[in-house]
Structure formats: C-alpha cells, structure tokens
Amino acid sequence: MNYTRDNMAGLLRSHEINPTHQRIEIAHALFSRQEHLSADQVMAAVNTRHSETSKATVYNTLKLFLEKGLVSEVIVDPSKVFYDPNTTPHHHLYEVDSGKLSDIDAGSVQISGLPPLPDGMVTEGIDLIVRVRRQP
Amino acid sequence: MNYTRDNMAGLLRSHEINPTHQRIEIAHALFSRQEHLSADQVMAAVNTRHSETSKATVYNTLKLFLEKGLVSEVIVDPSKVFYDPNTTPHHHLYEVDSGKLSDIDAGSVQISGLPPLPDGMVTEGIDLIVRVRRQP
DNA sequence: TGGCCAATCTGGACTTTGTCTAATCTCGCG
DNA sequence: CGCGAGATTAGACAAAGTCCAGATTGGCCA
C-alpha cells in the first residue's frame, strides 16, 4: 500500500471525511510514517518549510479523524496524547526514558479472566501498555 | 486497617519519608478515601476550610510518594494523572463519560503471549485499562 | 463565468496541568 | 538559644489543548 496524497483523499472519503488540503496533509503525515505522533509532531511535520496549517486545525482534524475511526489515541504519557494510524486491535510497548512507543500485535496476546462489566456498560476498548526501561 | 493520621506517620516512616504535617495530610487524603485522586483533588481535599498546603507541595509530595513506592500513577485521561493508593498489582476500569476509575483485581486476570522485550530492557509495569461507556 | 453559502480554516486569547525558583519557614540538635 | 538541612511557599512560567469570531475556500447552480 502506497500512502500518496491521492490515496489519502480516497481514504478520507471512505471514512466520510471531506478531503481538504490540510486534512490530506495531516493524514499523509500520519500514514506515510506509520508512527505514533503527538499533535505537536503532526504540526511540525505538516509545517516544514513554510507554515501551512494552524494549531487549531491540527487539533480539530485529529479529533475528527478519531471520531471517524481513522486513527486511535494512545494515552501513555501524562503530558501528551499520541495518535496512532493503526486502528486494528493491538497493544503498546512504551520505553519510559526515551518516550519511544511501538506496537505489539494483538494476535498472540491473550487476556483472560476479566470480570463482568457493570450493568449497562459496553467496552469501548482495552488498552494494554507494557512500560519498559533500559536496564541500569 | 485504620487510616488515622498517626498511622500515616508510621506508614511514611516505613517508606523512608520524613513525616511532616503536609505529607501526613496528603497521605491521609489518599489512603482514608481509598480512591483515585488527581493532584487537583488532593489539593482540594487537603485545603477544605482554610488553605494549608500549597500547590507546589502537593505536586512535590505526590512525586515523592511515587518514587518511594507509596502510591502509583494511573494514566488514563489525557488531561490529568491519577494517584492510586493501591500499589499491589491490579488493573483499571475507566468509565469514559463519567471519568470514574475503579480497580480490577489482578488475581483472576491472565495475560499471556507477550513478545520478548527488546535487549537490555526491563519491564517497569504492565497497565491494563478497560475503557467502558454507558450503553446508549 | 460569476456569485452564493456552508463548511472549513485561522490567529490569538484563554484555560488547565504541571514545573521551577528564590525566599522563607521549621525543627532537631549541639 | 541559635544553626542549618530539609521542607514549604507564592507566584511566575511553560506546554498542551480549547475556543471564538472573523476570513477563506470551494462546490454548485444559474
């Protein structure tokens, strides 16, 4: 799969998102890298050379992508949210000292024995985060 | 177990923390409630009636408690960190719309099939968060 | 083509959470 | 009693994110 800007337009449309210039650039930044980026990093990626997209638009757009299921949020660092272009079920490995975040495929991981949910509640997601640190 | 202020002093000492007035109040706020509180909520709890403890002290103290293993951090909400008086291994249930956070005992939960860690890395902790939402 | 309108984007002010610093306070001990 | 290390404080500051009112865009139809 090729993450050209043209393909981004299609991707956005298939998620019922009107593909504007800014949205295409933001999607491109996330998907071509296949990495976890914070809002700040998206800003920087989109505004290399000359400033093109405002802070408000970056935040609005990421929130929109999230609602439309195009990206997911990863909350591992108290100071910033990461956005993840991988929306298939998977887990995360977080290197505490470097801040590096990587995926753990959900395929082989099994979680069992979770208690029943409170009445009238539905699961929105299960986040499994393995926090690791460089051996001292 | 009884979470009197006197017992708090002993608890702090047993974790190599000099038990000052402010630290005892903060420990008392966390342990007598047996709940997850944010720094803000600790501030409010400690400063009912007249202001007694400054913001800087609350933050310093929570960080100190964390280092000394007296409390643990729970990162589920991008906007604030919760502090958890329960340091035994356990997981969390987070009600997304209300912000309510509760414990899931680790006893019956099994996680298997995690891939090996990268070389030279040690696990610092495994966070399992079940995000739920009220049925629409 | 030209004009219209709704959707989108923007700068900048604002809020909230948390950090930092330099000055002050406390308290055990000689 | 007075000293000094450790603790506390007020308030300035930083960073992430939100909000708003006005400007821009672009698709559509005559």
Side-chain angles (χ1 to χ4, degrees):
Chain A
M1 161 76 102
N2 196 323
Y3 295 103
T4 63
R5 287 175 172 75
D6 277 3
N7 288 347
M8 289 303 100
L11 180 64
L12 295 182
R13 261 186 285 262
S14 75
H15 284 256
E16 303 185 301
I17 297 169
N18 199 348
T20 65
H21 284 307
Q22 290 88 339
R23 288 169 181 177
I24 289 172
E25 284 305 312
I26 291 171
H28 182 74
L30 280 162
F31 286 90
S32 68
R33 277 175 189 71
Q34 282 295 104
E35 260 178 29
H36 307 81
L37 299 182
S38 65
D40 253 35
Q41 292 173 314
V42 171
M43 268 277 268
V46 162
N47 290 333
T48 43
R49 310 231 151 276
H50 32 74
S51 172
E52 289 157 15
T53 303
S54 72
K55 185 167 65 149
T57 298
V58 169
Y59 278 96
N60 289 342
T61 301
L62 289 172
K63 196 184 284 180
L64 178 70
F65 285 4
L66 185 65
E67 280 163 11
K68 298 294 190 179
L70 196 60
V71 301
S72 58
E73 261 182 351
V74 188
I75 301 170
V76 288
D77 181 318
S79 73
K80 64 184 61 158
V81 173
F82 287 96
Y83 291 88
D84 188 344
N86 178 355
T87 53
T88 65
H90 67 281
H91 309 299
H92 289 104
L93 183 81
Y94 186 57
E95 297 179 23
V96 173
D97 16 46
S98 70
K100 190 158 162 279
L101 182 62
S102 48
D103 284 357
I104 297 175
D105 189 74
S108 52
V109 179
Q110 295 231 343
I111 301 170
S112 60
L114 283 175
L117 296 189
D119 262 7
M121 292 287 180
V122 284
T123 301
E124 186 172 277
I126 296 184
D127 293 0
L128 178 64
I129 297 152
V130 180
R131 279 169 209 280
V132 300
R133 147 180 323 249
R134 190 157 293 285
Q135 179 97 262
Chain B
M1 161 75 102
N2 196 323
Y3 295 103
T4 62
R5 287 175 173 74
D6 277 6
N7 288 348
M8 289 301 101
L11 180 64
L12 295 182
R13 261 187 285 263
S14 75
H15 284 256
E16 303 185 303
I17 297 169
N18 199 347
T20 66
H21 283 307
Q22 289 90 338
R23 288 169 181 177
I24 288 172
E25 284 307 311
I26 292 171
H28 182 73
L30 280 162
F31 285 91
S32 68
R33 278 175 189 71
Q34 282 294 106
E35 261 179 28
H36 307 81
L37 299 181
S38 65
D40 253 35
Q41 292 172 315
V42 171
M43 269 277 269
V46 161
N47 290 334
T48 44
R49 313 232 149 274
H50 32 75
S51 172
E52 290 157 15
T53 303
S54 72
K55 186 168 64 149
T57 298
V58 169
Y59 279 97
N60 289 342
T61 300
L62 290 172
K63 195 184 286 182
L64 178 69
F65 285 5
L66 185 66
E67 280 164 11
K68 298 294 189 177
L70 196 60
V71 301
S72 59
E73 260 182 351
V74 188
I75 301 171
V76 287
D77 180 317
S79 73
K80 63 183 61 160
V81 173
F82 287 97
Y83 290 87
D84 188 344
N86 179 355
T87 53
T88 65
H90 67 282
H91 308 298
H92 289 103
L93 183 81
Y94 186 58
E95 298 180 22
V96 173
D97 15 47
S98 70
K100 190 159 162 279
L101 183 61
S102 49
D103 285 357
I104 296 175
D105 189 74
S108 53
V109 179
Q110 296 233 342
I111 301 171
S112 59
L114 284 175
L117 297 188
D119 261 7
M121 293 287 179
V122 285
T123 301
E124 186 173 278
I126 295 185
D127 294 359
L128 177 64
I129 297 152
V130 180
R131 281 170 207 279
V132 301
R133 149 182 323 252
R134 190 157 293 284
Q135 179 97 261

